[in-house]
Amino acid sequence: MDIEHKKDCLRKYRVIKYSLKQKLDELEDLKDLVNRITFFISDEGFSPKTQGNTKENNVVKLLQAKEALNQEIQDLIEAKQEIENAIESVEEENLKVVLRFIYLNGKPVEKIAGSMDYTVRNIQYMHRKALEMVRMEDDEHAGENKKEIPGYNS
């Protein structure tokens, strides 16, 4: 995998992180809605044997949506972990720090240089060297079918 492709993969981390937060919030809202609806149905004496009950159908649809959302969350967590693992594959700690600052924290090179007491040019060199050392899961599984995460896979 070339360096530009590695950069693209690593850049997805923050998008995945924010999407994950949004999906978790959505899941909490959905759980709250399911709890309110099931409470409302139980107050009316809801019977699971009733056929064609639109309230029952709505609860079933909500539960299916919850399961689909849980799967999306799991996929995002796995994608996030793959990026973290790729950064951890770099053996030199100071190079890992540069990658973490850039891709996990979104810190600009100038601020990283100041934080680490290096020149901007040194950080750019370290960044490139770290990218060369990164082992992406795609490198190890070339040719295998990887699970697609909508909006995140290139």
Side-chain angles (χ1 to χ4, degrees), residues 14 100-109 111-112 115:
R14 289 190 2 212
R100 286 187 204 116
F101 272 142
I102 293 171
Y103 297 106
L104 306 189
N105 302 86
K107 206 168 185 182
V109 173
K111 289 193 179 196
I112 298 168
S115 297

Side-chain angles (χ1 to χ4, degrees), residues 36-48:
R36 282 187 281 149
I37 288 175
T38 53
F39 177 77
F40 176 73
I41 290 172
S42 65
D43 281 352
E44 290 185 353
F46 170 73
S47 167

Side-chain angles (χ1 to χ4, degrees), residues 20 68-79 147 149:
L20 185 56
L69 195 52
N70 277 328
Q71 186 58 52
E72 287 178 41
I73 289 169
Q74 186 60 41
D75 291 346
L76 288 169
I77 290 170
E78 289 172 12
K147 185 185 286 187
I149 299 173

Side-chain angles (χ1 to χ4, degrees), residues 83-96:
I83 293 170
E84 291 167 357
N85 291 344
I87 290 172
E88 289 304 311
S89 73
V90 175
E91 292 180 18
E92 293 182 42
E93 190 61 35
N94 61 338
L95 299 181
K96 276 192 245 191

